[in-house]
């Protein structure tokens, strides 16, 4: 659904569609890295669910590594030579709350993304999820 709605890769900025899915080795990766979450005592059921996952290229996932989002976002900006505003626009294509991810606030990120994904599902289905 994110790909259909125009999600773009964090590093390249290229829209993730069926062609880039295969050509760029797109896979579903953690937004808050697993190692980062484990070190902070975030339960696996939360960090390993769809709210914390999104389609990203292999190259982007390698850049993210085990770093906190605030750290890897700065690395992505430097490597790509883009402003925070441009990267924030890309993050929003994944229905990611920019303020919470840049503050490394997993709980706020999780809840805001849960609500945003639910709203997207309802819009696509044309009815409320009960």
């Amino acid at each position: 659904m994110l790909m259909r709605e125009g999600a773009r890769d964090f590093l390249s900025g290229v829209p993730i569609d069926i062609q880039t899915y295969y050509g760029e080795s797109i896979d579903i990766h953690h937004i808050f890295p697993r190692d980062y979450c484990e070190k902070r005592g975030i339960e696996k059921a939360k960090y390993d669910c769809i709210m914390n996952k999104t389609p990203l290229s292999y190259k982007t996932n390698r850049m993210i590594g085990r770093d906190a989002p605030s750290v890897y976002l700065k690395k992505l900006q430097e490597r790509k030579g883009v402003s925070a505003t441009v990267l924030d626009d890309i993050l929003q294509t994944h229905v990611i709350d920019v303020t919470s991810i840049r503050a490394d606030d997993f709980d706020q990120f999780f809840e805001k993304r849960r609500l945003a994904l639910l709203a997207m599902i309802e819009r696509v289905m044309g009815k409320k999820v009960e």
Side-chain angles (χ1 to χ4, degrees), residues 9-12 16 20-29 54-65 76 79:
D9 187 65
F10 291 5
L11 181 60
S12 68
I16 301 170
T20 55
Y21 185 85
Y22 292 104
E24 297 292 324
S25 299
I26 302 294
D27 203 354
I28 307 303
H29 296 289
T54 204
L56 296 171
S57 70
Y58 174 83
K59 289 178 188 176
T60 300
N61 192 47
R62 291 297 156 258
M63 279 282 303
I64 289 172
L76 290 170
R79 180 163 179 191

Side-chain angles (χ1 to χ4, degrees), residues 2-74:
L2 288 170
M3 293 186 323
R4 191 184 101 195
E5 295 293 313
R8 296 168 29 210
D9 187 65
F10 291 5
L11 181 60
S12 68
V14 172
I16 301 170
D17 57 21
I18 197 69
Q19 186 175 357
T20 55
Y21 185 85
Y22 292 104
E24 297 292 324
S25 299
I26 302 294
D27 203 354
I28 307 303
H29 296 289
H30 291 90
I31 299 166
F32 276 74
R34 182 180 315 143
D35 188 62
Y36 173 86
C37 292
E38 288 173 351
K39 287 180 179 174
R40 279 147 191 84
I42 298 169
E43 60 188 89
K44 183 177 181 175
K46 275 188 106 169
Y47 77 71
D48 214 21
C49 79
I50 195 65
M51 262 59 83
N52 189 39
K53 293 184 177 184
T54 204
L56 296 171
S57 70
Y58 174 83
K59 289 178 188 176
T60 300
N61 192 47
R62 291 297 156 258
M63 279 282 303
I64 289 172
R66 299 174 174 197
D67 292 327
S70 62
V71 173
Y72 76 67
L73 292 172
K74 286 180 187 173

Side-chain angles (χ1 to χ4, degrees), residues 103-121:
D104 299 329
D105 186 337
F106 180 85
D107 291 329
Q108 183 179 8
F109 153 82
F110 188 93
E111 183 60 15
K112 288 193 173 198
R113 191 149 195 258
R114 183 186 72 78
L115 293 172
L117 289 172
L118 181 61
M120 182 184 283
I121 291 166

